[in-house]
Amino acid sequence: MVKMRPDVPAPALRLGFDPDALKANWQALDHLSGNARAGAAVKADGYGVGARQVVPVLHAAGCHDFFVAHWSEVPDLLDVVAPGSVSVLHGPLTDADAAFAVACGVKPVINSLDQARRWLAAGGGRCDLMVDTGMNRLGLPLSQIGDDLLASLDIDVLMSHLVSAEEPSDINPIQCKRWRDACAVIPHQRSSLCNSAGIALGSAYHGDLTRPGVALYGGVPREDMAGTIRQVVTPQAAIMQVRDVAAGETIGYNATFTAPRPMRTGTIALGYADGYLRLWSKTGSFHAAGQQLPVVGRVSMDMTVIDLSDAPNVHEGDWVSADYSLPEASAATGLSQYELLTVLGRRFGR
Ligand SMILES: *Cc1c(COP(=O)(O)O)cnc(C)c1O
């Protein structure tokens, strides 16, 4: 007899997700992109937000170009958007990658003449091309943009990637010129240079398509985008236990916190294994019922203790939200806004 597996109960932690803010961020970035359309970088599971929940929202908002890094990220998108709207940034590293792209109908981003040959050998078809204009990481070197082989490719998006768009830098105009030079030589349908921050550099950088990532999810890569971008995700957890702690007692591992007075505390089901890192031990806070609830003692792997002394209306079973505005969290921790998103773990209900 086959035993039915019981449904797993909802976890005591979840990633608060604001689809309206995501939609508004995409629309704002699309508008800032001028004559270009905005696509979306949804790699790394939509920057940790959950590709399967962000892609349908973006698609409904009018987004038709989605970028992932790995081939393993493709299946998550296939039943949510048309395969032809998905590009895989790492390109075909093996013949198996190329065969998979052909079978699924997604576009590889070709990054080298080797990848171009592999793609053509697999049957080829629509692809994108990445030209390296200064990152020196992945992409066709500028010295090869005149190669005859490129004429055999059916290139949709001819792209490059900015090194330093979030700050004024001499390399921005240099990369822009190199990308334009490549566009003049290599046949293609659409041109693309900008990540989130690049969009603010103006129309000379826009081409036909922009590729925002972090700003879609609430990251503010440049001061001048601060008023435009809304917070999209908030780590939230339920209070598992409320306790009274006497003055002089310590809280958590290594007794780093001593109660200066009688306190009321709450233990929540969220820890560094969920990406709520130990560096929040001294600086983190949550909120509920209009009250700020500071973290007390060390964040542990699966639990964090918060101070409820000033929040008598917050009880066991109540949900609290982390103060996790990305620009502020980045300033408080020294971590990048990208890391603060992608570190959020798999135990969150998404
Ligand atoms: C990740 C990525 C983006 C998005 O960058 P953000 O800085 O997150 O906006 C755009 N293009 C490429 C090639 C990328 O790898």
Side-chain angles (χ1 to χ4, degrees):
M1 202 176 82
V2 184
K3 254 201 185 161
M4 289 287 285
R5 251 206 254 176
D7 287 342
V8 178
L13 77 171
R14 65 187 179 210
L15 201 56
F17 170 60
D18 183 346
D20 294 335
L22 174 66
K23 180 179 173 200
N25 289 344
W26 183 82
Q27 286 170 333
L29 292 159
D30 187 54
H31 181 71
L32 277 176
S33 299
N35 290 330
R37 294 311 307 271
V42 298
K43 60 199 181 191
D45 199 22
Y47 286 47
V49 182
R52 291 183 67 80
Q53 71 177 352
V54 303
V55 168
V57 173
L58 294 168
H59 186 251
C63 180
H64 297 299
D65 295 275
F66 300 93
F67 296 88
V68 295
H70 285 263
W71 295 96
S72 60
E73 299 180 295
V74 168
D76 256 356
L77 305 192
L78 283 183
D79 57 335
V80 231
V81 285
S85 64
V86 177
S87 299
V88 181
L89 290 162
H90 288 181
L93 301 169
T94 63
D95 293 346
D97 292 344
F100 179 74
V102 171
C104 296
V106 301
K107 289 184 294 178
V109 177
I110 302 297
N111 291 286
S112 66
L113 294 177
D114 263 354
Q115 287 196 355
R117 275 182 217 106
R118 189 170 292 127
W119 180 236
L120 292 167
R126 250 309 130 107
C127 62
D128 296 337
L129 180 75
M130 171 68 80
V131 175
D132 193 322
T133 55
M135 186 72 96
N136 285 305
R137 196 176 60 169
L138 192 63
L140 188 79
L142 278 183
S143 58
Q144 297 175 354
I145 60 174
D147 198 287
D148 291 340
L149 185 65
L150 299 175
S152 317
L153 293 175
D154 177 6
I155 301 171
D156 178 7
V157 180
L158 196 163
M159 71 182 93
S160 190
H161 193 48
L162 293 164
V163 170
S164 220
E166 65 280 2
E167 53 197 28
S169 167
D170 292 343
I171 195 161
N172 290 330
I174 293 171
Q175 284 195 275
C176 188
K177 165 140 197 336
R178 289 173 176 169
W179 164 71
R180 285 173 170 278
D181 290 347
C183 288
V185 175
I186 304 170
H188 64 281
Q189 298 291 322
R190 298 181 291 166
S191 60
S192 177
L193 178 61
C194 293
N195 63 347
S196 302
I199 291 170
L201 295 175
S203 58
Y205 291 76
H206 289 162
D208 301 307
L209 178 71
T210 59
R211 309 184 306 272
V214 75
L216 294 172
Y217 313 111
V220 180
R222 294 166 56 104
E223 289 274 316
D224 53 9
M225 289 180 162
T228 313
I229 298 302
R230 286 165 55 181
Q231 182 170 343
V232 172
V233 287
T234 308
Q236 298 172 334
I239 298 176
M240 299 189 289
Q241 192 168 68
V242 170
R243 50 203 312 133
D244 294 309
V245 178
E249 286 285 305
T250 64
I251 295 173
Y253 279 120
N254 306 112
T256 59
F257 180 89
T258 305
R261 57 183 178 277
M263 292 177 75
R264 184 169 171 270
T265 63
T267 304
I268 59 175
L270 168 70
Y272 60 76
D274 306 301
Y276 194 70
L277 300 178
R278 237 171 67 140
L279 49 67
W280 286 111
S281 299
K282 289 216 164 65
T283 54
S285 62
F286 288 72
H287 58 271
Q291 279 287 338
Q292 205 187 27
L293 313 167
V295 171
V296 284
R298 286 220 162 123
V299 172
S300 348
M301 187 183 289
D302 320 297
M303 285 182 261
T304 297
V305 179
I306 55 178
D307 185 359
L308 300 180
S309 303
D310 295 331
N313 295 329
V314 177
H315 303 288
E316 262 172 39
D318 287 354
W319 286 81
V320 299
S321 296
D323 292 314
Y324 212 78
S325 137
L326 294 173
E328 285 167 29
S330 174
T333 59
L335 294 180
S336 75
Q337 297 177 66
Y338 298 81
E339 290 168 285
L340 286 162
L341 279 171
T342 54
V343 77
L344 297 172
R346 304 183 61 92
R347 291 194 297 199
F348 280 103
R350 282 186 176 81

